[in-house]
């Protein structure tokens, strides 16, 4: 039996490479290979069984386990196969796509930081960041063309870790851009897997299968055999796919049931029910989509950003699940606002429901209600009518939660509206929504309209904190006296008033606006112990030292670790203050400003 498995495996790998568009790698002969081995054929009038011939073992992860858990982004893409460039004397760990003019952090950003520490920092970077400012900082950290620290043993390999970290947060564009700079030479299985998974997450099976049947054809782990069988089935080679499936069936304890379920469905048979999936790899999600099978609900609980975006794009995902998954994927980054807007409009919601969108949203707030409101606003071409619906949507979102996701979905609608005197009443809402989605240039016009001193309203006065934080400490209107005047006009007894003031005062101090002791004393009695929660002592000291010594790359990585998956929100205020001060110290004031604005929006300012 062992000889049969070895022989069959060699034949499968050879068959898998036939017809590939890339240069083929010869298969090394396997000892004790029987001469009468033949690929089984089937009756053309009946479907070929691609699934198991007996009960399959438990669902366990079969893909190679990386040093950094990957999670590539999703969304349909088209384009050429990734090309590999030759790098001769260039250190692969030093290559990148960004220089200083393109937002890079400097070729010397790792000066003073040891190679082992760089590798550890990259491995520890957060993976589920809802903060656009954090994701942009991380992208630039990983894509900057910078001289890598020298190490005698050349470990850890920073290039593959950088790619894996980008994949993990679902940034497919950046992943592809960096992979194009991959050095030629020895095949790195982890990098191959990352590339294939990225294509599968985007349901680009053509590019994924070219790698599986080309560069990766000598890889013999269970993951690669599953990918080989899937690619053969997609190519119409059902007999060969059946043979691979049978061999994988012999490894039942290592193969998750989703593989066999999907293969049965692709073959036209009735598959056994799929009750759970412990992991959502790009391969298995692509298989489910090809098989027209939905993803089990329980699999989404701890899904990566890339997996969430793939599920949101899956046509067989039920409408309500698709809405909730799309919102989460949009907040975490891999699903863009335009895609969320389109999903909001393609969920099977009856048009009649739009007439009562506001009433329903107020009574039952959730993904469906938010989709109703955005669709209701999209029905109007007249700016004033559209603004009325959006104003109600933004108000409800600020009260009930989900403001940023509504702002993301509504961004395509806002981009078609210009600040105008007849929309002055809408200006604070438009400005706040645009700032929440990092559209500061677009928000500036609405802020100017709202803050017109001659025609200021109560709502525009409410916008003053955001206007002040947008301008920064260098603006003559942002002074300690101006802050004191704003606070004097607030209802101090109102629910959350002092909490919002604490956030504003902290952010202004972090931005170098020195406030009076009287202001702090006025809110001192309301300070709670939980306001003191924050990063570990080790992180705080490491960040302070790196920022003081101007080690920019290390500082940015530690800022991301300090904020963590929680990000710049009021409940993480100490981390935000430390991060803002550190970024300013190393010359990244604009990034600090973005963190400040995100925190202010989250605080309801």
């Amino acid at each position: 039996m062992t000889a049969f498995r070895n022989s069959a495996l060699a034949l499968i790998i050879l068959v898998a490479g036939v017809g590939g568009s890339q240069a083929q790698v010869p298969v090394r002969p396997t000892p004790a290979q029987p001469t009468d081995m033949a690929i089984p054929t089937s009756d053309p009038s009946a479907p070929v069984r691609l699934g198991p011939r007996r009960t399959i073992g438990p669902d366990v992860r079969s893909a190679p386990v990386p040093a950094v858990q990957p999670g590539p982004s999703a969304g349909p893409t088209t384009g050429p196969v990734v090309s590999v460039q030759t790098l001769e004397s260039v250190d692969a760990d030093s290559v990148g796509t960004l220089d200083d003019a393109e937002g890079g952090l400097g070729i010397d950003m790792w000066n003073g930081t040891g190679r082992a520490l760089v590798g550890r920092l990259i491995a520890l970077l957060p993976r589920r960041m809802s903060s656009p400012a954090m994701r942009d900082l991380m992208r630039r950290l990983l894509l900057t063309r910078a001289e890598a620290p020298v190490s005698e043993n050349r470990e850890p390999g920073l290039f593959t870790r950088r790619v894996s970290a980008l994949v993990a947060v679902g940034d497919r564009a950046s992943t592809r851009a960096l992979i194009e700079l991959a050095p030629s030479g020895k095949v790195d299985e982890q990098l191959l897997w990352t590339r294939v998974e990225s294509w599968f997450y985007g349901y680009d099976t053509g590019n994924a299968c070219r790698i599986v049947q080309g560069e990766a054809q000598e890889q013999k782990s269970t993951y690669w055999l599953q990918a080989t069988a899937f690619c053969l089935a997609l190519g119409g080679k059902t007999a060969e796919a059946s043979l691979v499936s049978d061999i994988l069936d012999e490894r039942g304890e290592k193969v998750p049931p989703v593989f066999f379920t999907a293969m049965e469905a692709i073959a036209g048979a009735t598959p056994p029910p799929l009750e759970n999936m412990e992991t959502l790899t790009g391969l298995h999600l692509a298989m489910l989509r090809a098989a027209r099978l939905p993803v089990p609900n329980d699999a989404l609980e701890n899904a990566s950003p890339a997996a969430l975006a793939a599920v949101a794009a899956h046509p067989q995902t039920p409408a309500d699940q698709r809405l909730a998954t799309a919102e989460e994927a949009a907040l975490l980054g891999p699903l863009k606002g335009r895609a969320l807007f389109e999903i909001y409009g393609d969920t099977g919601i009856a048009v009649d429901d739009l007439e009562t969108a506001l009433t329903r949203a107020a009574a039952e707030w959730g993904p469906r209600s938010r989709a109703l409101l955005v669709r209701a606003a999209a029905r109007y071409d007249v700016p004033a009518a559209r603004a009325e619906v959006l104003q109600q949507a933004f108000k409800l979102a600020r009260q009930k939660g989900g403001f940023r996701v509504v702002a993301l979905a509504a961004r395509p609608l806002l981009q078609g509206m210009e600040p105008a005197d007849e929309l002055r009443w809408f200006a604070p809402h438009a400005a706040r929504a645009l700032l929440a989605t990092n559209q500061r240039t677009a928000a500036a016009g609405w802020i100017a309209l709202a803050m017109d001193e001659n025609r200021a309203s109560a709502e525009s006065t409410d916008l003053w904190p955001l206007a002040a934080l947008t301008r920064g400490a260098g603006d003559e209107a942002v002074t300690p006296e101006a802050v004191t005047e704003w606070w004097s006009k607030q209802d101090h007894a109102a629910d959350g008033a002092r909490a919002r003031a604490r956030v504003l005062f902290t952010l202004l101090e972090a931005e170098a606006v020195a406030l009076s002791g009287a202001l702090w004393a006025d809110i001192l009695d309301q300070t709670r112990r939980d306001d003191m929660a924050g990063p570990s002592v080790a992180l705080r000291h490491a960040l302070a030292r790196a920022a003081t010594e101007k080690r920019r790359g290390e500082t940015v990585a530690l800022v991301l670790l300090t904020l963590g998956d929680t990000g710049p929100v009021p409940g993480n205020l100490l981390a935000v203050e430390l991060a803002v001060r550190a970024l300013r110290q190393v010359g990244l004031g604009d990034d600090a400003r973005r963190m400040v604005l995100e925190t202010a929006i989250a605080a309801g300012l």
Side-chain angles (χ1 to χ4, degrees):
M1 181 61 73
T2 300
F4 168 78
R5 290 186 189 174
N6 290 337
S7 302
L9 179 59
L11 178 59
I12 292 161
I13 295 172
L14 179 61
V15 170
V18 175
S21 61
Q22 300 185 12
Q24 304 300 308
V25 180
V27 177
R28 291 189 290 270
T30 304
Q33 194 171 24
T35 57
D36 58 350
M37 182 69 178
I39 298 174
T41 59
S42 57
D43 181 355
S45 64
V48 175
R49 171 181 286 275
L50 302 183
R53 299 179 183 274
R54 60 176 181 279
T55 304
I56 304 304
D59 183 4
V60 296
R61 184 179 179 92
S62 57
V65 179
V68 180
Q69 188 66 29
S73 58
T77 61
T78 58
V81 181
V82 173
S83 62
V84 179
Q85 301 176 356
T86 301
L87 300 175
E88 297 177 355
S89 60
V90 179
D91 179 2
D93 291 333
S94 298
V95 299
T97 64
L98 300 179
D99 58 21
D100 291 357
E102 299 165 315
L105 300 180
I107 194 168
D108 59 347
M109 72 175 187
W110 294 121
N111 278 6
T113 306
R115 190 183 187 92
L117 178 56
V118 173
R120 181 166 175 76
L121 290 173
I122 293 173
L124 292 173
L125 290 173
R127 296 296 189 257
R128 295 175 60 84
M129 297 175 289
S130 61
S131 164
M134 289 179 65
R135 290 196 301 269
D136 183 61
L137 261 180
M138 179 175 171
R139 179 186 66 84
R140 287 154 53 208
L141 177 76
L142 298 171
L143 291 182
T144 293
R145 190 178 304 119
E147 185 177 350
V150 177
S151 174
E152 292 183 2
N153 57 16
R154 309 302 294 167
E155 292 294 337
L158 302 182
F159 182 84
T160 299
R161 287 188 182 230
R162 289 160 65 196
V163 171
S164 295
L166 287 167
V167 167
V169 296
D171 189 344
R172 296 184 69 218
S174 296
T175 299
R176 301 285 168 72
L178 189 56
I179 283 177
E180 286 185 357
L181 302 179
S184 59
K186 182 180 177 181
V187 174
D188 184 330
E189 183 182 4
Q190 175 59 45
L191 191 57
L192 280 177
W193 182 47
T194 299
R195 291 169 61 193
V196 169
E197 278 287 285
S198 181
W199 289 120
F200 276 139
Y201 270 117
Y203 199 59
D204 190 333
T205 56
N207 276 322
C209 288
R210 285 189 185 95
I211 298 174
V212 170
Q213 297 175 325
E215 299 167 69
Q217 65 177 314
E218 285 198 327
Q219 305 300 327
K220 300 178 178 63
S221 71
T222 303
Y223 173 86
W224 294 108
L225 286 182
Q226 291 177 75
T228 295
F230 177 46
C231 291
L232 287 169
L234 290 179
K237 298 181 179 180
T238 53
E240 294 94 325
S242 178
L243 177 58
V244 180
S245 184
D246 281 345
I247 289 184
L248 284 167
D249 186 19
E250 295 291 327
R251 304 181 177 185
E253 75 284 355
K254 297 181 180 179
V255 182
V258 61
F259 167 79
F260 296 109
T261 297
M263 292 295 279
E264 288 276 349
I266 291 170
T270 301
L274 181 62
E275 297 180 353
N276 62 75
M277 288 176 65
E278 291 186 7
T279 57
L280 291 177
T281 64
L283 168 62
H284 293 143
L285 286 171
M287 293 183 72
L288 287 177
R289 184 164 175 177
R292 301 180 182 275
L293 296 174
V295 178
N297 286 332
D298 65 325
L300 298 176
E301 186 174 349
N302 296 308
S304 70
L308 291 169
V311 173
H314 186 2
Q316 272 65 50
T317 302
D320 286 340
Q321 184 189 70
R322 190 181 187 201
L323 283 171
T325 304
E327 286 190 346
E328 188 175 359
L331 285 173
L332 294 176
L335 194 72
K336 303 308 176 186
R338 169 63 66 174
L340 178 60
F341 174 76
E342 292 173 353
I343 289 174
Y344 270 2
D346 185 30
T347 53
I349 301 175
V351 176
D352 291 344
D353 290 345
L354 297 178
E355 301 298 335
T356 57
L358 288 172
T359 302
R360 291 188 55 182
E364 186 178 350
W365 185 248
R368 182 173 284 267
S369 299
R370 293 188 280 271
L372 279 170
L373 289 173
V374 173
R375 286 192 63 191
R379 296 180 69 185
Y380 297 101
D381 293 327
V382 177
R386 176 178 292 179
E388 285 185 11
V389 181
L390 287 177
Q391 179 192 44
Q392 295 301 318
F394 295 149
K395 281 184 175 180
L396 280 170
R398 290 185 72 193
Q399 294 169 7
K400 298 175 177 291
F403 178 76
R404 180 170 287 161
V405 77
V406 173
L408 283 168
R411 191 164 73 183
L413 301 178
L414 288 171
Q415 288 173 336
M417 300 172 67
E418 294 293 333
D421 193 63
E422 62 270 19
L423 294 177
R424 185 181 302 277
W425 53 272
F426 180 61
H429 307 283
R432 195 172 272 110
L434 289 166
L435 288 175
T437 59
N438 195 38
Q439 304 295 301
R440 284 185 292 168
T441 301
W446 292 99
I447 291 175
L449 180 64
M451 301 304 293
D452 185 339
E453 294 181 2
N454 298 322
R455 303 179 63 179
S457 65
E459 285 191 314
S460 63
T461 301
D462 185 50
L463 189 66
W464 185 86
L466 283 182
L469 293 171
T470 302
R471 294 166 180 165
D475 191 281
E476 61 181 12
V478 185
T479 63
E481 292 74 23
V483 179
T484 301
E485 181 181 356
W486 169 82
W487 179 234
S488 69
K489 295 178 181 179
Q490 304 304 303
D491 180 1
H492 298 183
D495 186 33
R498 281 188 165 82
R500 289 189 292 274
R502 280 199 299 275
V503 172
L504 176 61
F505 296 172
T506 301
L507 296 177
L508 287 171
E509 289 270 13
E511 283 276 71
V513 178
L515 303 181
S516 69
L519 279 173
W520 285 108
D522 201 22
I523 61 171
L524 187 61
D525 60 326
Q526 297 295 322
T527 303
R528 302 186 304 272
R529 294 288 299 179
D530 57 2
D531 287 335
M532 300 301 294
S536 68
V537 172
L539 262 179
R540 295 202 297 268
H541 283 287
L543 177 58
R545 181 63 61 86
T548 300
E549 298 179 3
K550 302 293 190 278
R551 297 196 295 268
R552 181 174 286 193
E554 185 179 335
T555 297
V556 168
L558 288 168
V559 160
L560 295 172
L561 290 177
T562 297
L563 292 166
D565 286 334
T566 303
V569 296
N572 204 21
L573 195 56
L574 176 58
V576 173
E577 182 177 14
L578 294 172
V580 169
R581 292 182 185 277
L583 290 172
R584 287 173 56 84
Q585 278 185 272
V586 295
L588 297 173
D590 190 61
D591 295 283
R593 183 70 47 79
R594 292 180 62 184
M595 297 284 185
V596 162
L597 288 169
E598 286 187 14
T599 309
I601 296 267
L605 289 168

